[in-house]
Every structure is written in C-alpha cells, then in structure tokens.
Amino acid sequence: MTVYELFQSALRREPPPDLPHVVDDGEQHRAAFDLTFEHGRIVRAQYRASTCVTLVALCEELSRIAVGLTRAQALGLNANSLLLLHPEIPPARQARAALAVRAFEAALLETTL
C-alpha cells in the first residue's frame, strides 16, 4: 500500500484512547502504540499519532506488519525497513520512520506477555 492508502485506511478507523508511553521528536510529532500479545505473539497493534500523513501512514504500516510477530521478531523492525517499503517518502520526512519505530519499541518494552 502507498503512504496515501495507509493514511486513508487509518482515517476510517476509530483511534484508541490516549495511550501511555508517548514518544516525540522534540518538535511537534508524537506517536504511541498499544500492543496485545497472546501465546507470545502480537495479536493487536493500535497506535495514536500526531496529524502528519507520513507519520500516521508509517504507524499504520507498523501496526499491520506487527500482527503475528513474536517480541523478538518485532524488535528486529527498524526505520530503514519501513523506508524500503515506502520509497515515495521524501528525505525531509524520513525521520518520521525512526519516531514510529521508537514508539513501537517503547510499547514492546512495556507490554508484558
């Protein structure tokens, strides 16, 4: 899916309530994830992100990729792998991938199995 399609998909869903462990980039962008595990695998990944099309799309992509992964597999996800999926993201917005991954990792480290 493209960044635009991922953003459109995110708009059709009700966002989760405020989530703990919000990560920000020191500017205006914020993201947070909530992960649910069953039998050692992620079965649900929800997020909230500030209103940036690129950031929302990358969080949406992460939430889709994460389902079915173990914690160890999920910790292997990184900003570069996200950016490889979306070469259409301009250089000025590529730092959003690192923010999305940091928020995802924060949720991984805080969630108990």
Side-chain angles (χ1 to χ4, degrees), residues 39-105:
H39 308 292
R41 295 194 177 272
I42 299 170
V43 294
R44 188 181 68 182
Q46 298 183 86
Y47 66 90
R48 284 186 77 95
S50 53
T51 54
C52 166
V53 171
T54 303
L55 180 58
V56 169
L58 291 169
C59 289
E60 182 74 12
E61 186 75 80
L62 263 177
S63 71
R64 290 167 181 252
I65 292 170
V67 173
L69 298 181
T70 65
R71 183 184 305 273
Q73 291 168 327
L75 283 169
L77 298 174
N78 61 56
N80 287 335
S81 60
L82 273 180
L83 292 171
L84 285 173
L85 294 172
H86 296 288
E88 73 273 22
I89 296 175
R93 292 199 169 78
Q94 290 181 355
R96 309 301 197 277
L99 174 59
V101 169
R102 283 196 327 268
F104 183 75
E105 288 172 344

